[in-house]
Amino acid sequence: RVVAATLGIVTPAKRIGKLLEGLALVPADVRPLLVVGGAVAADDPLLTQVRELGLADDVRFTGYLSEEDFWRLARAADVAVNVRFPTVGETSGAVCRLAGSGLPVVVSEVGWFRELPESFATKVPVGAGEPEAIAAAIGSLSSDPSLRAARSSAARAWGEARSGRRIAAAYARVI
């Protein structure tokens, strides 16, 4: 089964509720397992939403992740999802690191995320049609191994071109 992961601190801006709505629209035979890497309280409305949408077999909340566990989960995932709104103009370090490690990403079509190459980043609109766009994005990545592989290769190449090791070597050559 394909594993989709959303990693980091669970906040309203991470739009996990919209992600759950989208996941529920993906046909069950291609629906990925969604792993939410981040802490939620026992009474968090997201847990109720999972049950109400009939996603109990399709969603796992990990709780807080150490750096080591963050990367363990990233290595186990096939797709990263990082929908976000609002933003404050930030660049997502998690998206950079996840894409750089070869994960195709699904992101919101806002702010800095718009600059990510379409070769590995699927951008979904915020607002009307958002759950449907999320469903289409994760559904196609889940059901099409060749699409997932091509996007994974593109993400890895993008990350390698921006790796700390490569950048440090470039600075060393200049110095």
Side-chain angles (χ1 to χ4, degrees):
R1 184 171 187 189
V2 171
V3 174
T6 184
L7 304 170
I9 299 169
V10 177
T11 67
K14 296 283 184 84
R15 305 183 74 70
I16 304 298
K18 292 295 181 185
L19 174 54
L20 294 173
E21 289 176 36
L23 184 67
L25 297 174
V26 177
D29 61 325
V30 295
R31 185 180 298 147
L33 174 65
L34 174 64
V35 181
V36 180
V40 296
D43 62 346
D44 193 296
L46 293 172
L47 301 174
T48 301
Q49 186 179 11
V50 166
R51 287 190 302 277
E52 289 175 351
L53 292 171
L55 296 173
D57 294 333
D58 303 307
V59 178
R60 299 291 178 273
F61 290 89
T62 66
Y64 171 80
L65 293 174
S66 67
E67 183 78 9
E68 180 181 340
D69 288 337
F70 175 97
W71 286 110
R72 185 176 291 131
L73 179 52
R75 284 189 303 275
D78 301 292
V79 176
V81 182
N82 193 312
V83 289
R84 193 180 300 184
F85 186 81
T87 69
V88 291
E90 75 276 17
T91 298
S92 172
V95 168
C96 290
R97 294 174 4 190
L98 294 168
S101 66
L103 285 175
V105 297
V106 177
V107 296
S108 295
E109 191 173 25
V110 296
W112 168 83
F113 298 102
R114 289 183 180 143
E115 298 176 24
L116 291 170
E118 292 181 11
S119 60
F120 68 84
T122 304
K123 299 160 197 152
V124 298
V126 172
E130 185 175 4
E132 293 81 5
I134 291 170
I138 61 177
S140 64
L141 286 165
S142 294
S143 64
D144 188 343
S146 61
L147 174 65
R148 210 168 44 251
R151 293 201 169 207
S152 179
S153 293
R156 190 171 286 107
W158 181 84
E160 181 56 34
R162 289 156 183 79
S163 74
R165 180 180 66 256
R166 184 182 168 287
I167 300 303
Y171 272 110
R173 283 192 303 274
V174 169
I175 293 171

